Amino acid sequence: RQPRGAAVVTLAMAAGPPPPLEPRALPAFSEEGFGEKFLRKTRENPLVPLGCLCTAGILTYGLISFKRGNTRRSQLMMRARILAQGFTFAALLGGMVVTALKSRQ
């Protein structure tokens, strides 16, 4: 136990102050707008936007069929929409896995 007021001197303090750190130049990043980011992400994983378009198209056709009174076609399109959503979700997960594997290498 040390008496009150006693200073603790470590080896790091005995060696003197550390040398001043030189600031490192930060990498320059350009601002990426919505359009550029959308195109980049589409190029990275083109199946996701394709699945979204298919889902929207099938949903629209199903709603038109429902409005016209064609219930059989409407129900078929709602089931097809679920499949298209599943495809989109699988494409999204697959893209995430591929991106994670690429970042590890």
Side-chain angles (χ1 to χ4, degrees):
R1 190 159 190 205
Q2 295 182 354
R4 284 189 178 182
V8 176
V9 177
T10 63
L11 289 177
M13 291 169 63
L21 297 175
E22 296 295 323
R24 275 194 257 173
L26 295 174
F29 293 106
S30 63
E31 280 294 316
E32 187 178 41
F34 175 77
E36 293 91 15
K37 185 174 183 178
F38 179 77
L39 288 175
R40 180 175 56 86
K41 293 287 188 179
T42 300
R43 274 187 241 112
E44 287 175 6
N45 194 357
L47 295 178
V48 172
L50 179 67
C52 290
L53 286 174
C54 287
T55 302
I58 291 169
L59 175 64
T60 303
Y61 187 60
L63 290 174
I64 290 170
S65 297
F66 179 74
K67 187 171 182 167
R68 289 183 180 166
N70 190 347
T71 56
R72 185 180 208 123
R73 172 84 48 175
S74 174
Q75 284 296 310
L76 182 66
M77 289 299 108
M78 291 303 117
R79 291 182 183 126
R81 177 189 56 90
I82 298 298
L83 290 175
Q85 282 179 314
F87 171 79
T88 305
F89 186 71
L92 183 66
L93 284 179
M96 289 171 55
V97 168
V98 169
T99 302
L101 292 176
K102 280 183 183 177
S103 67
R104 282 188 170 184
Q105 293 174 355

